[in-house]
Amino acid sequence: MGSLDAVLNHPAVWRGSECARVAPGVSTGFAELDAHLPGSGWPIGAITEIYAERPGVGEVKLTVPAAAKLTQAGRWVTVIAPPHVPYAPALAEHGVALERLLLIKPGAAEDNLWAGEQALRASCCGAVLLWQDHVHERALRRLQLAAEAASTSLILFRSARVAPASPAALRLHVSRAEGRTVVRILKRRGGGLPPPVVLDLHAFTGRPLSRLKRPLPPRVVRQPLQAALA
């Protein structure tokens, strides 16, 4: 029995109920969530899908600590087609280096996806945040290949009513309950799914991260993003 315990406790033994052992990711900044994610953070070179129960339940706040870490390290973070304009003072207050934040508002779905793929292929990007509900499987695979080739994280925000099959390495559902943000892991590398993680994001930032009454004028981007990101 003792020898069996020794084998099971060996660091080279992976159990089906555990997270997969992968390269370290970018910490979410929330230890309770990192503890349940393979690589202890947002996966690098892969797609993460976030399904929000409704806009504003904390889905964007989840990404702010990672955006701060990446931009402070000199990496670009590209934000594509957000529903509202990010509130720059709040982002800066939480450590995001605004000079390394690129906001793109193309409009049409095909332009959003095109911009996302170009940003992923620019190796100077640390992460791409893209809002797009409906994405054809073929387009998802193109995004996955682009993220993998550049070792960049793609975080794809989608409505909770859209949950098709996807090659995403990580899928999260975000909702609110009793004033807190509830993160449910729908898919991760490795076996088993943990119970929902409850986070108090109000303690993280009480300031809104977007301005609801300040829409961006539509503009279609049709030029190499690599030049803008250099």
Side-chain angles (χ1 to χ4, degrees), residues 98-207:
L98 299 180
E99 65 274 15
R100 284 288 168 181
L101 191 69
L102 181 66
L103 175 64
I104 302 174
K105 190 79 171 179
E110 61 179 18
D111 295 321
N112 295 343
L113 297 173
W114 178 86
E117 183 175 347
Q118 300 307 307
L120 288 169
R121 293 191 183 284
S123 57
C124 53
C125 258
V128 175
L129 279 59
L130 169 63
W131 277 256
Q132 185 65 49
D133 270 351
H134 299 285
V135 185
H136 191 277
E137 183 179 352
R138 186 175 178 181
L140 271 178
R141 296 199 178 280
R142 286 181 62 91
L143 292 172
Q144 169 59 40
L145 290 174
E148 189 174 337
S151 296
T152 302
S153 299
L154 170 60
I155 298 180
L156 182 59
F157 294 91
R158 313 182 75 176
S159 166
R161 64 179 183 277
V162 179
S166 167
L170 178 65
R171 305 179 91 183
L172 305 178
H173 179 273
V174 182
S175 59
R176 293 277 289 178
E178 299 179 352
R180 299 195 172 200
T181 296
V182 180
V183 181
R184 191 156 53 94
I185 298 176
L186 304 177
K187 176 186 176 183
R188 66 177 182 178
R189 287 169 172 161
L193 294 177
V197 178
V198 180
L199 301 173
D200 185 3
L201 296 186
H202 187 73
F204 163 69
T205 169
R207 301 185 63 177

Side-chain angles (χ1 to χ4, degrees), residues 84-93 98 101 207-211 214:
H84 307 292
V85 178
Y87 187 42
L91 293 175
E93 183 179 313
L98 299 180
L101 191 69
R207 301 185 63 177
L209 295 178
S210 63
R211 282 182 169 175
R214 188 185 167 194

